Amino acid sequence: MTQHPLPASIEDTLTLLESAGYVADRSLATVLHLSLRMKRPLFLEGEAGVGKTEIAKVLSETLGRDLIRLQCYEGLDVASAVYEWNYPAQMVEIRVSEASGDTDHTELSKSIFDERFLIKRPVLQALEPHINGAPVFLIDELDRADEAFEAFLLEVLADNQVTIPELGTIKAAEPPIVIITTNRTREIHDALKRRCLYHWVDYPDAERELEIVRRKVPGAADRLSQEVVAFVQKLRADEDLFKQPGVAETLDWATALSELDAMALDPDVASDTLGVLLKYQDDIERVRGSKTRQLIEQIRKEEPKTPTMPAV
């Protein structure tokens, strides 16, 4: 993997994202550019499926940096996220020392708490030197982790270091490129947000979402892409759904319909494939059948009419 320089301007940042097929607005490109230049973590908040995680993947790909991902979940602790000691290997070391007659407990304690017995988890891996430069460190869905772990991250984000009692402080020679995402299932403490630059990633407007579909699902018919995007936009704007479809679901639905050789939205096929777009049965039942047909009729009525040339 070849390392590439950081973008020198907001326009370069937009170009960088577009080169990997990520369609971003200028506000996102601006805060991402600042995060890279200021070497500050970027805190991305927004609904699930709007492309937050993808930003870290795109940065890794376009900058030629390693991607280290910490997937957060309830009960995540230091042993799973940062480090733990290789206890079986330490026990072998102790028995070998005893068998050889080495009973100096001070020296033995130093030898078993050596870095060769340290199992490095994502946080520690992100602070290590990398051949291709500082890695992209993705802390994904932080809101799923407990508040205690969130508090632990403060030292990492503020000082790019981790304190291991048996070894001391391990500090990154070069700060990693940190991307933090949250779906806002709970509020993240202000102390963590203060250490980051912040950006709310919203659902894209129709024009940008259509461009995303065209780039990510190039095999879909143009009319199908337009109607899929219009349908999804109407669902988000007009329907009181438990979980609105994200861009990821829009892409999945366009792909699924394209696989069925659809050239445009058919009410029956659209209704039958709603499970690709919506993930809750109540939402599917609300939209299925006559509602699907009604929405398709509405978007076709609202389609801009192509002006006809006057007869000569």
Side-chain angles (χ1 to χ4, degrees):
M1 188 181 289
T2 304
Q3 180 184 351
H4 300 288
L6 299 179
S9 66
I10 297 170
E11 286 71 21
D12 288 347
T13 306
L14 275 169
T15 302
L16 186 81
L17 294 171
E18 289 175 1
S19 69
Y22 192 98
V23 183
D25 57 22
R26 190 175 179 84
S27 62
L28 173 58
T30 299
V31 73
L32 180 57
H33 172 69
L34 291 173
S35 172
L36 293 172
R37 304 307 297 185
M38 296 168 65
K39 298 185 178 181
R40 293 279 298 279
L42 179 56
F43 187 95
L44 299 174
E45 197 166 38
E47 299 293 339
V50 293
K52 303 183 296 297
T53 300
E54 190 67 19
I55 292 172
K57 296 178 181 179
V58 166
L59 285 177
S60 171
E61 176 187 342
T62 55
L63 296 178
R65 310 293 182 97
D66 295 330
L67 175 63
I68 297 173
R69 180 171 182 169
L70 175 61
Q71 181 62 53
C72 298
Y73 56 87
E74 186 177 352
L76 180 66
D77 58 8
V78 171
S80 300
V82 190
Y83 75 95
E84 65 177 327
W85 292 105
N86 189 339
Y87 296 116
Q90 287 175 318
M91 289 301 299
V92 171
E93 180 76 4
I94 291 171
R95 287 173 181 171
V96 169
S97 297
E98 290 175 344
S100 64
D102 184 0
T103 56
D104 187 333
H105 294 292
T106 302
E107 289 301 316
L108 182 58
S109 177
K110 288 181 180 178
S111 69
I112 63 172
F113 287 110
D114 185 81
E115 194 167 337
R116 61 199 170 103
F117 295 113
L118 192 66
I119 301 174
K120 299 174 181 179
R121 302 302 188 196
V123 172
L124 207 52
Q125 292 170 13
L127 299 179
E128 287 186 313
H130 287 250
I131 296 175
N132 301 319
V136 176
F137 183 30
L138 170 62
I139 304 175
D140 208 17
E141 297 183 320
L142 179 59
D143 51 324
R144 294 183 180 274
D146 302 323
E147 292 186 12
F149 180 74
E150 181 186 326
F152 172 82
L153 284 178
L154 296 180
E155 179 186 13
V156 178
L157 299 179
D159 301 316
N160 297 294
Q161 66 182 34
V162 166
T163 301
I164 300 176
E166 299 86 354
L167 285 180
T169 299
I170 297 178
K171 187 176 179 65
E174 182 182 1
I177 299 169
V178 181
I179 304 293
I180 303 172
T181 75
T182 168
N183 296 333
R184 208 177 186 182
T185 59
R186 70 171 177 86
E187 286 295 328
I188 302 299
H189 199 277
D190 287 346
L192 188 142
K193 287 186 175 182
R194 283 198 302 271
R195 288 159 171 78
C196 309
L197 303 187
Y198 174 88
H199 187 75
W200 174 266
V201 183
D202 208 348
Y203 294 115
D205 59 24
E207 182 180 355
R208 190 154 61 91
E209 190 161 22
L210 179 57
E211 180 62 25
I212 293 169
V213 172
R214 284 171 171 164
R215 285 175 180 247
K216 296 294 186 180
V217 195
D222 194 58
R223 182 179 176 187
L224 176 65
S225 299
Q226 292 180 43
E227 291 188 351
V228 162
V229 168
F231 189 96
V232 172
Q233 291 276 331
K234 272 203 166 295
L235 283 184
R236 294 190 191 127
D238 302 335
E239 300 302 317
D240 186 18
L241 301 177
F242 181 76
K243 172 65 179 70
Q244 293 183 343
V247 179
E249 284 75 32
T250 304
L251 295 173
D252 285 344
W253 201 36
T255 302
L257 292 170
S258 183
E259 288 291 329
L260 295 175
D261 298 323
M263 302 301 290
L265 280 184
D266 174 86
D268 293 332
V269 176
S271 189
D272 290 342
T273 56
L274 282 175
V276 180
L277 183 66
L278 304 173
K279 305 304 179 181
Y280 289 88
Q281 182 60 22
D282 289 348
D283 289 345
I284 293 173
E285 288 300 323
R286 183 185 184 91
V287 178
R288 175 178 284 162
S290 60
K291 187 63 179 179
T292 298
R293 186 178 299 276
Q294 178 186 340
L295 288 171
I296 293 174
E297 289 173 356
Q298 285 179 9
I299 63 177
R300 286 177 178 165
K301 285 179 182 176
E302 294 170 5
E303 285 178 356
K305 303 298 182 182
T306 304
T308 56
M309 294 296 292
V312 179

